[in-house]
Amino acid sequence: MTASTLPPFIAGLAPVADRYDGYLVDLWGVMHNGVRPYPAAVACLAELKRRGKQVLLLSNAPRRSAEAERRLTAMGIERSLYDGLITSGEATWHDVKAFDTPFFEGLGRRCLPIMAPSDAGMLEGLGVTTVTEVAQADFILALGIEGPGDKLEKFQPLLEAAIRRRLPMVCANPDLEVMRGEAREICAGAIALAYEERGGRVRYHGKPHIGVYRRCFAALGGMAATRILAVGDSLRTDIAGAAAAGTDSLLILGGILEEQLGGPESIAAAAVDPARVGRLLDSSAARPGLLMARFGW
């Protein structure tokens, strides 16, 4: 892909904002870095709300939406800046609670969770019995790593034991990795992918899978997909999901892609290397409609 064939690069949302009535905005890498919000992104949400746009935050966070909202408020992203927040964790919770899809047919409700202690709220009211050993489990619920710095190798023995028992896995976050401050962490999606590569059966919730977009469309009152812009920093989840759902998309070049594009200094609008961006897009089946360095007005 040459510079002349790249999607349009915009310095801010203002030139295109009125093409859309609704916005699906990712969190990590777009609104915040896992530790603190990006001021320009917060100001952008405020301007969208001032203009009467509907804004849904759409995250692959492996936790209930209410808990995600509490964390955003504590971080400094006020609830008044958006109309709703939909998480992959919320979709997962309802799916496991219902336990009525073909995936769960014949399964017991003994669940082995892979998660950090801070995400234990996902288990409340779920109607499962949690166990700590593969030999006791009917299925695995992958929410994420157990603590900072965990690597995929830590989970290999568990995955191998689960494969021997042919346990299915429910994945509450399809992301492979995320930036928490300056540190890169694996997500539940990396664990689930490793399990699939060993022959394991996995049920995913969240971007890029269409189920979570159906929730968004319902929340937006049936708004036409062509009037919605999805904003995210992942080709694999945000941009691919938008394409499958029929919405336009805006790829943020900061966030998870920052290192591949030369680091923070290179992400500045005037310093983005078109050749690097082109190679990145050529390596992906998903193509965004617009590019931006960091989310802002």
Side-chain angles (χ1 to χ4, degrees), residues 58-127:
L58 176 57
S59 173
N60 274 353
R63 57 192 61 95
R64 302 292 302 275
S65 292
E67 174 61 21
E69 287 183 7
R70 285 192 289 270
R71 295 189 185 196
L72 285 183
T73 300
M75 190 183 287
I77 301 175
E78 298 296 334
R79 180 63 181 82
S80 60
L81 293 174
Y82 54 95
D83 294 284
L85 192 161
I86 295 176
T87 65
S88 56
E90 186 73 22
T92 302
W93 190 91
H94 285 282
D95 186 51
V96 176
K97 174 71 173 176
F99 221 74
D100 60 357
T101 65
F103 180 87
F104 295 109
E105 187 174 352
L107 287 183
R109 297 183 71 97
R110 294 177 301 174
C111 165
L112 173 61
I114 303 174
M115 67 179 189
S118 59
D119 287 329
M122 270 288 289
L123 303 176
E124 295 177 4
L126 199 54

Side-chain angles (χ1 to χ4, degrees), residues 7 31 38 133 136 152 202 218 221 229 262 276 297:
M31 292 304 306
Y38 300 129
E133 302 292 334
Q136 303 168 327
L152 188 57
V202 180
L229 180 67
R276 281 191 174 187
W297 186 252

